[in-house]
Amino acid sequence: MGSGMTNTPSPKGRDNIDQDQFLTILSREDALARFEAALFPRAVASEQRSLAGALGCALAEDVVAPIDVPPFDRSNVDGFAVRSTDLASAGEASPVRVMLNDEVIACGTAPTRPVLSATATPIATGGPVPRGADAIVMVEHTQPAGHRAIDIRRAASPGQFVSYAGSDIARGEALLRAGTIIGSREIGMLAACGIADVVVARRPRVAIISTGDELVQPGHSLRPAAIYDTNGAIVTAAITENGGEAKFLGAVADDEAQLESAMRDALAKSDMLVLSGGTSKGAGDVSHRIIGRLGKPGIVAHGVALKPGKPLCLAVCDGKPVIILPGFPTSAMFTFHDMIVPVLRRMAGLPPRSDTKVNARVPVRIASELGRTEFVMVSLVEGADGLIAYPTGKGSGAITSFAQADGFLKIDALADQMPAGSETEVTLFTPHVRVPDLVIVGSHCTGLDLVTAPLAHAGLTVRSIAVGSLGGLSAAKRGECDFAPIHLFDEKTETYNTPYLADGLELVPGWRRMQGIVFRKGDKRFEDLSAEDAVHAALADPACIMVNRNQGAGTRILIDRLLGDARPDGYWNQPRSHNAVAAAVAQHRADWGMTIAPVAHASNLGFIPFAEEHYDFALVTARKQRSAVQAFLEALASGGARAALLKAGFRPA
């Protein structure tokens, strides 16, 4: 390492003060320009690899063909090597008879006898063309004519069915250029020229360290307030996908001395160091402070006007890039793919990514933060007039946001929203649009997975987007989905769902599920009470905190019926799923809420039944005959699905 890589922390002078400045926000373009200016230009390291080992690598230098391919004139068909002048008058009515030479030329057999006038030599596809012959006649155009003779009923032109030496690849020709990515086709070309090893750009060695006291590696039990380290596995895989040689070094606690030792050791053995976590202003975040002691110039950007990804830290220590990704998975992966992958691919000698873009319409308003360019993950579905882009809406801490999204859209830093109905450009994560076979938009229920499982196993892609019952109905009315799961109670008619249907929609009965009050077992405020009495008891206790549901959810309507005009502590805590409600109560962040019985029982919580609601499906009639829709209807009515729903605690309609 360079002179900056000392083991003794230097006094806190001007350079270190600069390193400790947190979040001087830069635009994405400025941050990337600073990072690349500190790293490039630089020579791409190279190494020699066998053909099998070079797969996916970029050639470091041009490859010149050392031989002709094919190396000799060869036959393209099974037939007979002839002199074309002998057959000038040949035709169906006037065949030309020639005598056969006493050899047969097979692949790998060198000819020993020339083809003289009025003679021919049997030859197999790929066999070397013998001396004197200048054409090949297909065996189908000949007829045996006694002992060692054939009649030929078609004329032959010079060069017919002959591949000449060097006609595919000529000796001295530039076979492949530097920068070419080695795939199976390139390996075939190299093998055809007898080349066993090539010089390729060496894959950058990238060390990955996760940071944080809260991290537990997969396979171990979670302790209280801990989470599994997802970023380590995700970043390691992403580095390999983009040309790096990744080495995950595990998770290191927020101990400055321990972390500095791990970072120094990793940087000494690698070409790049990537950390996740430790970029925000928490007391436990020490990574960025250590960088100032690892080498020059140190941090070049700490804080980028991106959402997600604002806390990203970019540094260069004695010529080696050091990146501290945000701790939240979606933030980490988006900033990695957007900001780090271009640098990694350049170091690996790979060309920039070629991102596919499509146009789509946004069906809902997307709020944004002024001053930060926001990238919103979206799922694409097919609408009546083109693609529809639904925001995933799970936040930067969600693991599934990145995995389940089809791409992302961009909201400019000067905008505070993207209005509903806006036409926008979506950058895809894959080369092609993956429009699902079946689209379900509406209320979330764990029973839905039980019904759609057979469809997925049959090869159909199912996209389920949780936006609540009312949001699903709106999507169905706009023709943006096949089904909208709903559970909406109408107080006037005292019935579920049917009063909410509009023209063009029809109701498909689903299943019944019990909604009720959930609480921790043993809580005397709720034990042995009815739902109404339990809510009254909760309202009478100022220390009792509730957890609500999001607006538009059928569960929210039931809660508001029980509460009336009351707005107790916790009312504005509005998660979007039944599981989140149960988790809040189980983890003592709330004392009560409303969820469905299967979720309450799975979390080992107390449950007070309140109302059996109807979880049904609003079907878009115009899409009813689609094969995927019919497959869903068959699955819903099947004995297997009904048995699975019963086992899970639901009552099929």
Side-chain angles (χ1 to χ4, degrees):
M1 305 306 296
S3 59
M5 299 288 288
T6 61
N7 287 315
T8 303
S10 59
K12 195 172 184 67
R14 175 80 183 175
D15 289 343
N16 295 90
I17 293 174
D18 289 342
Q19 294 298 327
D20 280 345
Q21 289 178 351
F22 177 70
L23 295 181
T24 302
I25 305 299
L26 299 174
S27 69
R28 171 193 176 277
E29 292 73 20
D30 286 346
L32 191 55
R34 286 192 184 190
F35 193 37
E36 290 183 334
L39 281 172
F40 303 107
R42 63 194 291 143
V44 176
S46 62
E47 63 183 357
Q48 186 164 299
R49 286 187 173 230
S50 67
L51 291 189
L55 185 65
C57 294
L59 280 174
E61 55 189 34
D62 293 347
V63 177
V64 175
I67 63 169
D68 288 328
V69 179
F72 48 80
D73 297 351
R74 68 184 180 196
S75 173
N76 288 340
V77 296
D78 292 337
F80 300 91
V82 298
R83 290 175 176 253
S84 59
T85 54
D86 289 342
L87 307 179
S89 62
E92 290 293 334
S94 56
V96 172
R97 181 165 296 180
V98 295
M99 302 303 295
L100 295 179
N101 294 315
D102 59 353
E103 73 171 345
V104 176
I105 303 172
C107 287
T109 302
T112 60
R113 297 183 180 278
V115 173
L116 303 177
S117 181
T119 68
T121 298
I123 189 169
T125 301
V129 178
R131 178 183 175 88
D134 63 359
I136 308 296
V137 174
M138 294 177 66
V139 67
E140 295 91 326
H141 300 154
T142 66
Q143 188 73 30
H147 181 66
R148 301 201 62 79
I150 58 171
D151 286 341
I152 301 175
R153 289 184 163 81
R154 289 199 183 182
S157 58
Q160 176 177 283
F161 299 126
V162 174
S163 287
Y164 290 102
S167 59
D168 189 0
I169 301 170
R171 184 197 303 267
E173 176 184 344
L175 185 63
L176 295 169
R177 293 294 186 186
T180 301
I181 308 302
I182 303 298
S184 57
R185 293 176 299 176
E186 288 73 23
I187 286 178
M189 294 173 65
L190 294 165
C193 290
I195 298 172
D197 301 285
V198 288
V199 179
V200 297
R202 179 173 61 77
R203 291 188 174 99
R205 295 184 291 265
V206 184
I208 304 100
I209 297 175
S210 295
T211 65
D213 297 330
E214 74 281 11
L215 298 180
V216 174
Q217 292 307 307
H220 295 78
S221 298
L222 280 179
R223 59 183 183 274
I227 59 172
Y228 283 118
D229 177 16
T230 57
N231 283 358
I234 296 172
V235 172
T236 299
I239 286 168
T240 302
E241 287 177 343
N242 286 280
E245 185 178 290
K247 185 173 183 181
F248 179 54
L249 301 178
V252 178
D254 287 323
D255 176 85
E256 191 158 350
Q258 183 182 351
L259 184 56
E260 181 170 349
S261 175
M263 291 173 67
R264 286 184 180 278
D265 185 60
L267 206 53
K269 299 175 182 177
S270 307
D271 304 304
M272 177 186 289
L273 173 60
V274 179
L275 298 93
S276 67
T279 69
S280 299
K281 205 174 181 180
D285 294 331
V286 298
S287 308
H288 70 279
R289 296 202 298 269
I290 296 171
I291 289 178
R293 305 192 289 266
L294 296 184
K296 300 298 182 182
I299 293 175
V300 296
H302 189 192
V304 183
L306 283 176
K307 183 180 180 181
K310 178 181 177 181
L312 176 68
C313 180
L314 305 174
V316 177
C317 297
D318 293 340
K320 295 186 177 183
V322 179
I323 300 101
I324 309 178
L325 299 172
F328 277 142
T330 297
S331 293
M333 286 315 301
F334 185 83
T335 50
F336 178 84
H337 281 274
D338 186 55
M339 303 284 287
I340 311 308
V341 163
V343 169
L344 176 60
R345 293 181 67 88
R346 189 169 172 183
M347 291 177 65
L350 300 175
R353 289 178 310 174
S354 180
D355 293 327
T356 303
K357 301 178 187 295
V358 296
N359 291 323
R361 181 172 58 83
V362 176
V364 294
R365 175 183 176 273
I366 305 175
S368 186
E369 181 180 336
L370 278 173
R372 292 170 65 184
T373 300
E374 181 164 0
F375 296 93
V376 181
M377 310 291 178
V378 295
S379 295
L380 294 173
V381 300
E382 191 74 62
D385 300 315
L387 292 174
I388 307 296
Y390 268 95
T392 57
K394 293 187 178 181
S396 59
I399 309 298
T400 55
S401 289
F402 208 86
Q404 295 179 357
D406 294 303
F408 62 89
L409 57 83
K410 175 182 172 183
I411 302 178
D412 189 78
L414 298 178
D416 64 354
Q417 64 166 310
M418 180 172 285
S422 298
E423 292 288 333
T424 188
E425 186 177 71
V426 175
T427 301
L428 300 181
F429 292 136
T430 56
H432 306 287
V433 177
R434 302 179 300 177
V435 175
D437 298 302
L438 186 73
V439 179
I440 301 172
V441 180
S443 176
H444 167 78
C445 182
T446 54
L448 196 56
D449 290 335
L450 303 176
V451 178
T452 57
L455 279 66
H457 297 159
L460 295 175
T461 56
V462 180
R463 175 69 47 77
S464 179
I465 302 174
V467 297
S469 295
L470 294 176
L473 275 177
S474 296
K477 292 173 183 177
R478 294 191 298 263
E480 296 167 359
C481 61
D482 299 299
F483 293 97
I486 56 175
H487 51 104
L488 297 169
F489 183 75
D490 180 61
E491 293 187 356
K492 292 182 180 179
T493 61
E494 294 188 345
T495 59
Y496 268 96
N497 299 327
T498 302
Y500 291 88
L501 297 180
D503 290 341
L505 302 180
E506 57 187 87
L507 195 70
V508 176
W511 51 86
R512 308 297 175 252
R513 57 186 196 176
M514 185 60 72
Q515 291 264 21
I517 302 299
V518 65
F519 62 96
R520 290 182 296 281
K521 291 180 178 179
D523 191 331
K524 301 301 182 182
R525 293 171 295 187
F526 303 103
E527 293 279 7
D528 301 322
L529 297 180
S530 67
E532 292 84 355
D533 290 343
V535 172
H536 291 153
L539 294 176
D541 184 355
C544 194
I545 298 177
M546 75 169 292
V547 56
N548 206 345
R549 277 296 306 275
N550 57 297
Q551 288 186 338
T555 305
R556 174 65 172 268
I557 296 175
L558 293 177
I559 295 174
D560 286 343
R561 281 175 57 195
L562 282 170
L563 289 175
D565 295 330
R567 296 294 181 264
D569 193 7
Y571 181 87
W572 303 109
N573 180 14
Q574 303 174 18
R576 303 181 67 87
S577 74
H578 294 292
N579 294 68
V581 170
V585 175
Q587 296 167 11
H588 293 255
R589 290 181 284 110
D591 299 307
W592 71 278
M594 181 173 286
T595 187
I596 56 177
V599 171
H601 298 327
S603 300
N604 195 30
L605 294 170
F607 183 78
I608 303 172
F610 174 61
E612 186 181 61
E613 65 175 7
H614 295 202
Y615 186 89
D616 298 325
F617 299 90
L619 165 61
V620 179
T621 304
R623 300 166 76 107
K624 187 174 183 177
Q625 298 307 316
R626 298 180 65 245
S627 59
V629 171
Q630 290 297 310
F632 177 85
L633 294 174
E634 291 173 8
L636 181 62
S638 69
R642 294 175 70 85
L645 288 168
L646 279 170
K647 184 178 180 180
F650 303 104
R651 187 169 68 86

